[in-house]
Amino acid sequence: MQPVECVTCGNQVLCEKFSMAHTSVQWTAEAAVVCAEFRGRVAEGGTTARIRTCLALRGSIDRAVEEGTLEVADA
């Protein structure tokens, strides 16, 4: 797994790309505090376990793939 930092909030996660469609993300405990999208959903009564992704982080992961800092595993 490789670290990827969200360009919006600075939250850092560990990612692994198994294919262009399959991404594994390991969130940190601070995600609900650092990530504005997580924080907003938790404030509305949600739990981080039910949040599938953050759109800003998704964009940061896609950018990391485009820049070559996050590699897609060979099939």
Side-chain angles (χ1 to χ4, degrees), residues 42-60:
V42 169
E44 294 171 354
T47 63
T48 58
R50 300 230 180 239
I51 301 172
R52 291 188 53 120
T53 192
C54 165
L55 296 177
L57 180 63
R58 168 60 46 205
S60 297

Side-chain angles (χ1 to χ4, degrees), residues 28-69:
T28 64
E30 297 86 27
V33 177
V34 176
C35 174
E37 189 168 339
F38 269 40
R39 189 173 54 242
R41 291 189 197 176
V42 169
E44 294 171 354
T47 63
T48 58
R50 300 230 180 239
I51 301 172
R52 291 188 53 120
T53 192
C54 165
L55 296 177
L57 180 63
R58 168 60 46 205
S60 297
I61 292 169
D62 291 344
R63 179 184 294 175
V65 170
E66 289 171 10
E67 294 174 349
T69 57

Side-chain angles (χ1 to χ4, degrees), residues 3-59:
V4 174
E5 185 175 301
C6 178
V7 296
T8 300
C9 70
N11 187 34
Q12 185 172 324
V13 298
L14 294 175
C15 293
E16 190 163 2
K17 290 287 290 177
F18 298 101
S19 70
M20 291 307 292
H22 183 192
T23 305
S24 178
V25 177
Q26 183 178 347
W27 292 90
T28 64
E30 297 86 27
V33 177
V34 176
C35 174
E37 189 168 339
F38 269 40
R39 189 173 54 242
R41 291 189 197 176
V42 169
E44 294 171 354
T47 63
T48 58
R50 300 230 180 239
I51 301 172
R52 291 188 53 120
T53 192
C54 165
L55 296 177
L57 180 63
R58 168 60 46 205

